[in-house]
Amino acid sequence: MKMLLPASFALALVLGPPSAQADLAPGSMDMHWDAGADDCTKHTAPPLEVHAYNANTYILREDLCATWEAPFMYLLIGSQKALLIDTGDVADPKLMPLASTVMGLLPEVAGGKLPLIVVHSHHHLDHRAGDPQFQGVPGVTLVSPDLDQVQSYFGFKHWPEGMAQMDLGGRVIDVVPAPGHNLAHVVYYDLNTGILFSGDFLLPGRVLVDDLDAYAASAKRVADFVRDRPVSHVLGGHIEKNRAGELLDWESTYHPDERPLDLNKADVLALPAALDKFNGFYTETGGFVIENPLHNLIAFAVAVVLVLVALGWLLFRYIRKRRARRRKAA
């Protein structure tokens, strides 16, 4: 599970049979998520929603009125182990019954639950806040999202190069480094369903860049990875657009016309070219909205300083002229 994929095996996967798409385990993307509300004090929807993609694959989402981030989590069940990708934005199990829900979805094995491995797409708090709910739970292995722990657990020797695999028992998951949004970001590819779980690396919303060079390299790496592999869906960490392709308001708890969650292989292949066009601040290109929040914040701060300096200069000149007129009048 912690071994890097041998080059010969990687080549065999890349050159896999053309019928691979037909061999993928099917599932349903007919998902209907709660839209949240402008006034969450009057909202009565459950804090956590669960959609069964198929009998062994579950998509979970925290409700918009539980957290405006409304992150997605994914539970993949094999014959020997299960894998949970991300733990969401709410720590309190009384407010967000994530661990109890996940454990309830796991099959019984030898008088207990199927062993569970909890991993993350990346380190940001809205994808790991629920970690404490899994600490100390029998049969659960919680992998820290810190970069050194990610490298150690998966066996990455030359981060961000290489690839790792996890075998859940009849279900193999590829793990591909994808830093750029976050230093420790990875994406997961399920050979069973053909789903690419992309976290915040690629989602129907804002592509938020922390390190452009790393992001561009990751986009090429992931595009090369999927190019000759069957991809049924690309499932990210959030939905931030409506059906018209417009961005929803930041921190909005109400998504009345939210677009579907899934992207596709073409979106993955188009991301490198879109990042090539990024101006470092904000760019809309090819359906992508790409931002660097830190650069935008710095630019805003500089603009504020320049405005204050200009106002100060105008005030100084105004006072000088008034004093000059008074002296002349005297």
Side-chain angles (χ1 to χ4, degrees), residues 214-269:
Y215 218 133
S218 294
K220 183 180 184 303
R221 183 183 308 111
V222 176
D224 289 343
F225 172 82
V226 304
R227 197 175 311 278
D228 295 306
R229 287 174 169 83
V231 177
S232 56
H233 307 283
V234 178
L235 304 183
H238 309 271
I239 300 174
E240 298 177 348
K241 287 185 175 182
N242 61 23
R243 290 183 180 274
E246 302 163 332
L247 284 176
L248 296 160
D249 290 339
W250 186 249
E251 297 190 6
S252 171
T253 58
Y254 184 44
H255 292 188
D257 190 30
E258 190 179 73
R259 61 146 289 161
L261 168 64
D262 58 320
L263 297 173
N264 56 45
K265 183 174 180 175
D267 295 309
V268 180
L269 298 178

Side-chain angles (χ1 to χ4, degrees), residues 123-136:
H123 188 270
H124 289 157
L125 184 60
D126 56 311
H127 297 267
R128 60 176 174 87
D131 282 11
Q133 295 189 29
F134 294 93
Q135 291 175 343

Side-chain angles (χ1 to χ4, degrees), residues 17-34:
S19 61
Q21 185 81 40
D23 296 335
L24 298 178
S28 168
M29 289 299 294
D30 185 20
M31 296 176 285
H32 303 279
W33 306 107
D34 179 67

